[in-house]
Amino acid sequence: MIEDDRRDMSEQKQTAQHSAASGTARRAGPATTSCSLMPPRQRLLDGLAQAIREKGVQNAKVSDIVRNARTSKRTFYECFADKEACLAELADDWADGLRQAVVTAVDRTAPWDEQIDMAVDSFLAAIARDPALSAAIPRELPALGAQYFALFEKDIEFYAAFYMDLSRGPVMRRAGVRPLSWEKAVILVGGLSELTDRVLRTGRSLDAAGEAMKESMKLLVRGPAAI
């Protein structure tokens, strides 16, 4: 009787272990085949970024992306319709990284002119961490057509709203900073974007561009007495 009980308990334990292992396998399975989970999709985006650094956007192929990502073309096409769709998402992620770098770097309690310095310095520092990608993405995005214009508009509106809000902070008001209008903010952001793009394309100094950006922004919100 005791032996029968032990045998039954052993069989139940083995059945439970088998069920648990099967459940784990089922849960783990989709992570290697579905792009709905972050890792494979992110690997493909990173794979495209690496291919762009090595070959440029035009010469980067899907085969390069999947090789860098250590995955298959099947997985790529489960995630993206084509290389252009992958590029659009990479560009959006890249731009979001720049936006977050600026937002988190600015101390709203610092003197008004230092807040502007922080915004510009953090933006250029984020670009300098990956100059090849930072130069390639803006240059090649117009080929995406409607997707490019959507990304461009998103970026302009974000930075315009950011600098409008920054100019209205309590430290800025006490310092006599004139609140930026939407029109002036768009002019400011468009000029900064164009300057950054040209500096990256021509290999000019980001530091010199940064000083020009800071001076222009301070002139716009405070006038000649600001510099």
Side-chain angles (χ1 to χ4, degrees):
M1 184 68 175
I2 294 176
E3 290 298 324
D4 289 341
D5 289 342
R6 288 176 176 171
R7 189 161 47 250
D8 290 342
M9 289 175 65
S10 177
E11 290 173 354
Q12 290 171 5
K13 183 177 181 180
Q14 290 175 0
T15 300
Q17 290 173 336
H18 177 74
S19 299
S22 298
T24 301
R26 286 193 298 271
R27 289 192 297 272
T32 61
T33 59
S34 173
C35 66
S36 63
L37 299 179
M38 190 63 178
R41 194 177 192 91
Q42 189 59 54
R43 286 200 306 273
L44 288 165
L45 292 171
D46 292 344
L48 173 57
Q50 183 178 340
I52 290 173
R53 294 184 195 104
E54 295 170 349
K55 298 184 173 183
V57 173
Q58 295 299 324
N59 294 324
K61 297 180 174 58
V62 171
S63 57
D64 299 317
I65 299 170
V66 298
R67 183 179 65 253
N68 293 338
R70 297 185 179 181
T71 187
S72 64
K73 285 188 176 181
R74 176 180 177 181
T75 299
F76 178 88
Y77 287 111
E78 286 175 351
C79 295
F80 302 103
D82 49 33
K83 187 185 83 172
E84 286 69 28
C86 188
L87 175 61
E89 186 163 328
L90 174 64
D92 197 33
D93 283 359
W94 169 80
D96 186 58
L98 295 181
R99 291 190 289 264
Q100 292 304 313
V102 172
V103 169
T104 58
V106 177
D107 178 3
R108 300 294 184 104
T109 67
W112 75 273
D113 53 337
E114 291 183 17
Q115 291 186 41
I116 291 176
D117 292 346
M118 291 174 189
V120 173
D121 288 341
S122 59
F123 176 76
L124 294 180
I127 285 177
R129 283 194 287 271
D130 199 339
L133 199 63
S134 297
I137 287 181
R139 183 174 62 244
E140 301 294 345
L141 275 184
L144 296 177
Q147 288 175 303
Y148 158 72
F149 288 109
L151 291 170
F152 182 76
E153 286 296 315
K154 178 180 178 180
D155 230 29
I156 292 292
E157 289 297 333
F158 172 85
Y159 285 111
F162 171 79
Y163 285 115
M164 287 171 64
D165 181 61
L166 191 67
S167 71
R168 287 165 170 76
V171 173
M172 295 281 186
R173 289 200 306 270
R174 288 195 296 270
V177 169
R178 296 189 296 262
L180 281 176
S181 65
W182 177 82
E183 291 80 4
K184 287 183 178 179
V186 170
I187 291 172
L188 172 67
V189 172
L192 298 182
S193 175
E194 180 64 21
L195 175 60
T196 304
D197 183 41
R198 286 180 178 272
V199 166
L200 289 170
R201 283 192 285 110
T202 60
R204 296 192 180 191
S205 169
L206 280 174
D207 290 338
E211 291 305 313
M213 290 178 185
K214 295 171 188 177
E215 182 177 336
S216 299
M217 294 173 69
K218 291 170 187 177
L219 278 170
L220 189 60
V221 299
R222 276 290 303 271
I227 57 173

